[in-house]
Each structure stands twice: as structure tokens, then as C-alpha cells.
Amino acid sequence: MTAPAASDLPVVVIGAGPIGLAAAAHLIERRLTPLVLESGPAAAGAVRDWSHVRLFSTWAEVTDPAAEKLLAPTGWTRPDAAAYPTGADWAELYLQPLADALGDRVRYGVTVTGVSRAGRDRIVDADRESQPFVVHLTAADGREERLFARAVIDASGTWSTPSPAGASGLPALGEKAAADHVTYRVPDLKDPAVRARYAGKRTAVIGSGASAFTALASLADLTRDEPGTHAVWILRRGISGSTFGGGEADQLPARGALGLAAKAAVDNGHADAVTGFRTEAVERDGDDRLVLIGEDGRRLDAVDEIIVLTGLRPDLSFLSELRLGLDERLQAPTALAPLIDPNVHSCGTVYPHGVNELSHPEQGVYLVGMKSYGRAPTFLAMTGYEQVRSITAALAGDQEAAERVELTLPESGVCGGAGLFDDATTAESGGGCCTPAPALVQIGSAGAATLQIGGPETSGGC
């Protein structure tokens, strides 16, 4: 089959989440044809998975201007701009209506299994850039299909590939065998079945970001109604002034409040926390409980459940025939990585960026949204909306608009970025975090009532 001319083809958008749907709206505004491919049965599948969690961005910060224009003729009105939606609110009151407005430009139940240049694997140079993209799909019934595209915008996110408990980036020994007592999501303790899983149990929470704060506050709150409930917070580093985020200095107030709530929990002493612990193995004891073992040989007291919230990573497997330029550490586009690298960034903002920072050696393919950040955890929905505005302008030939910055990001007020500093020599006074000798501290339940003010940093909407 001869591939059609690229100019006659749609721009394929992978993923009907917040950024993918915004990309489609911007393409329509630019008089380009989008085709959104979504593996789930409805829009915003990942967001629906954490529907019980409240974002720490307001409605004004999680809706896209081009999307609002597309929705206006349907009678849609944005909810209270100052209110904080839950994941369920975001999906049901904005994202699904936006997908519905796009109509047959969104296809559900199709999984992208490969993207390449038509007739060219990644080795072949000849006439490469003149060939359209070919996208391979698998439908829910197993049927295989291929289609062609003039460009590909991958907004599939990172939700499906959570990072493991093992500090090496690989699953801890025994982690997979313990899968029936391990979750990689913030549990919804309003669900009776989920609540029963943790009530009266001892639970380890591994991680140091907003999701871990939310899980800890949730479990601390549960102790009030369910005696015997106990949380153990596992951190690979120490606790310092920057551990809990920007607090009152954060220009996203709810994000700062989440950190303050976590700090209040720590200060009130209702659960143990272990610092400087790098998980190497998970073993079952004689009572079928789980024992975490550190790389230094320490064995922690047994727990009943483990919540692993160590971040997410991009699935690049279906892009293996494309020539991507990715940072060797973050797996983010090489020009973007220095702007978001949590190993070196501390206070301030991520510089707004667009098509220049998101381009690859393979012209016409873009990773956007949370996936563009690779393993960096600091993504905001506003950033993704600016990304696709810039990219679609470039695809339409409007380079001036593509290079124009139309976004001001709120400062985090956080020194040490996401708190990924592992160098014990980093001075706390210099905005980093020291890693002291392993220690035990206490976590309390005070402030747990604010548990649902934070969205998972993995959502793309925080």
C-alpha cells in the first residue's frame, strides 16, 4: 500500500487526557485535523484512576483556552475558577465534555503499539523526512490496524509505568512476589473495600512527593476511627526544611498547604518514619507479613501493606523506530532536560517552553505533557497547555507564535526541587537537602483533614 501525501493526513495525538485533548483543540483552532487515539473506553482514563484525589491547582489553572472556545458552543461553562477540582470533577465536568465536543476525532479502545516512518525503520536515511508517519494500533478485540499521520503528538503520559520500590530503579527483590500487598497508587480510603485493606494495619509508604504526603495524611486520618492503623514513612534521604515543599511561600496555595499538612502530621507523632533507607528487598516473615530490607542490611519491622509512590517513568517502547533525542538521565527531550532536572534545580520556576525544546532529530514527532518530563516529577497542566499551543502553531507554519511565550508559571517556593538530592555533602543552607545517618522520627495525624488538597504529581494536572 502506497502511503498518502503527508499534507492530506491528520495529526495523530496519542492519549485523550488533559494535554492530548488540548492539543486536538489547538489543532482545530489552527485548521489542522487531529485524530486522538485513546486506549481506554472514555477520556481521561488516568485521571479517573485517581478520581478521589483533589488537585492543588484551581479550575482556572487546569482548563485550556482553545479547549474552552471549542466547548463554548455546547453550552459548557467553566466551574468556579477559584475552586479545586477532584480528579473525578476534572474528568466529568471538563475532559469528557471536551472529548465529546471533538466527536469522531477521538477513537477509543485502541492501543498504539508502534510509530515509525512509512517504509523506513530508524536506520534508513533516504527520503526519510518526506515520508509520513505510520502508526500501528491494536483494538480491544485484538484486531490490528495501521494508519498514517503528518505528525505525531504523544500525550500518553506516564501513569501506566510507575517506578518500583527498589532504590536502584529496578524492582526490589521480592517486590513482584509481594504484589498482592503492594500498590503504586494513593489509596481511596472512602471506598469501603480499600478502607478495610488498611484499617488497623501497619502500612509502609515509600516516597517523598505530594502523593506520599497525601497517602500519609490519609492513613493518619484513618487512625482516628480505626485503632491499630499505623503508617511508616520510608525516605531515601533525610528530613529538612525543604522536605515538605514551599508552604506559605508557594504560589499554588493548596500545593503549599499539602506540604504543611504533612509537616503537621510529622510533628504530632502518630507513626514512625525511617530516613536514609534505600529498599533492596521485600521478604515475607513467618506471619505472612512483609519485611523491608535496606541496601545497608537493615531490616524494618514487618508491615501488612506497602504503598510505593516513587514517581513514574515514560513508556518509550512503541517509539523505538523513531529517532528521539532524549536526556540520558531523565528520558526527557535533551533541550528540555536542563530546565527541569531535579538534581540541579532548586527554587523558582521551570522556564516556559515549547516547540524548540520539544523537538527531536525525527522532525514532526513530539512528546508532550507529563511524558515530556520523562522522570522529572514537577509537571503542571498549564505547562502542557503551553507546550501544545506552541507545537500546533509550528505545525501550522506560524513560527513567530510558536516561539512566543504565553505563560507565567507560579513559583513553588521550594528549595531542592522535588527533593531528589542524594548527595550527603549538599549544604542545607544552599537550598539543598542533607542526608543524615539513618534515623527514626514520628508522624502524627494532626492536619490530616487537609488530606485531599493535593493531586498526584503524576497526573499532569497538579
Side-chain angles (χ1 to χ4, degrees):
M1 177 180 177
T2 302
S7 59
D8 299 328
L9 297 171
V11 175
V12 162
V13 179
I14 305 174
I19 311 307
L21 294 173
H26 280 274
L27 288 165
I28 290 173
E29 189 172 56
R30 289 286 181 174
R31 301 184 185 277
L32 299 173
T33 302
L35 176 59
V36 182
L37 304 175
E38 168 59 40
S39 60
V47 174
R48 294 175 192 275
D49 278 352
W50 50 267
S51 60
H52 59 292
V53 178
R54 192 172 298 280
L55 282 74
F56 48 64
S57 294
T58 64
W59 272 112
E61 295 158 337
V62 297
T63 58
D64 173 78
E68 291 193 24
K69 291 179 184 178
L70 190 64
L71 281 164
T74 71
W76 180 88
T77 56
R78 185 174 66 190
D80 180 2
Y84 295 90
T86 62
D89 296 334
W90 203 18
E92 295 167 10
L93 302 180
Y94 169 65
L95 297 171
Q96 190 61 57
L98 177 55
D100 293 343
L102 288 165
D104 60 7
R105 300 180 184 94
V106 181
R107 288 185 58 185
Y108 300 106
V110 287
T111 300
V112 175
T113 57
V115 182
S116 186
R117 289 282 188 177
R120 308 288 188 277
D121 63 22
R122 66 182 297 157
I123 298 174
V124 178
D125 291 333
D127 299 323
R128 185 176 190 85
E129 293 182 4
S130 66
Q131 299 302 310
F133 292 94
V134 59
V135 181
H136 283 214
L137 315 173
T138 300
D141 61 5
R143 177 177 47 86
E144 295 182 331
E145 180 183 349
R146 71 172 180 174
L147 52 83
F148 297 98
R150 63 181 294 176
V152 175
I153 298 175
D154 182 359
S156 59
T158 56
W159 183 249
S160 63
T161 47
S163 296
S168 63
L170 301 174
L173 298 178
E175 182 175 344
K176 293 180 180 179
D180 54 335
H181 291 287
V182 179
T183 183
Y184 300 87
R185 312 300 188 201
V186 176
D188 180 4
L189 297 184
K190 292 183 179 179
D191 182 321
V194 176
R195 187 179 182 88
R197 177 174 175 176
Y198 298 96
K201 304 291 180 63
R202 181 178 171 87
T203 299
V205 178
I206 305 176
S208 59
S211 293
F213 293 166
T214 304
L216 285 166
S218 177
L219 290 169
D221 191 49
L222 186 60
T223 64
R224 298 176 180 179
D225 303 320
E226 301 289 347
T229 304
H230 199 77
V232 182
W233 187 18
I234 310 297
L235 297 104
R236 295 171 182 171
R237 58 186 180 89
I239 293 180
S240 74
S242 65
T243 297
F244 303 101
E248 295 178 356
D250 199 316
Q251 290 185 21
L252 289 178
R255 181 173 59 186
L258 177 62
L260 293 175
K263 186 177 187 304
V266 169
D267 291 343
N268 279 271
H270 284 220
D272 297 325
V274 181
T275 63
F277 188 89
R278 298 174 180 276
T279 306
E280 184 173 84
V282 179
E283 292 184 358
R284 292 185 187 268
D285 67 7
D287 297 322
D288 203 33
R289 302 177 79 204
L290 302 176
V291 176
L292 292 170
I293 303 171
E295 64 181 17
D296 58 1
R298 283 184 300 153
R299 301 172 66 90
L300 303 184
D301 291 341
V303 298
D304 301 287
E305 301 288 337
I306 301 174
I307 302 173
V308 181
L309 300 168
T310 54
L312 302 168
R313 54 186 60 178
D315 176 9
L316 302 168
S317 60
F318 60 88
L319 304 176
S320 61
E321 292 305 315
L322 296 175
R323 297 175 176 180
L324 301 180
L326 298 175
D327 180 76
E328 61 188 15
R329 294 168 300 163
L330 294 186
Q331 295 178 297
T334 52
L336 175 61
L339 306 179
I340 62 174
D341 187 350
N343 288 295
V344 296
H345 278 278
S346 55
C347 300
T349 64
V350 173
Y351 183 79
H353 53 274
V355 68
N356 291 338
E357 293 84 1
L358 296 167
S359 293
H360 293 273
E362 192 81 71
Q363 295 184 19
V365 62
Y366 304 96
L367 311 186
V368 301
M370 191 67 207
K371 191 164 187 176
S372 72
Y373 272 43
R375 300 194 184 197
T378 51
F379 178 76
L380 294 170
M382 292 181 290
T383 302
Y385 297 153
E386 173 68 3
Q387 288 178 342
V388 296
R389 183 206 62 79
S390 173
I391 288 168
T392 54
L395 290 173
D398 188 349
Q399 196 64 26
E400 186 277 330
E403 296 183 359
R404 185 172 63 240
V405 174
E406 296 186 4
L407 174 66
T408 300
L409 290 171
E411 293 189 13
S412 68
V414 179
C415 291
L420 302 185
F421 296 87
D422 289 327
D423 184 355
T425 64
T426 301
E428 189 169 343
S429 62
C433 305
C434 298
T435 303
L440 289 175
V441 296
Q442 295 290 314
I443 299 177
S445 61
T450 53
L451 113 88
Q452 300 240 333
I453 55 178
E457 62 268 54
T458 59
S459 73
C462 305

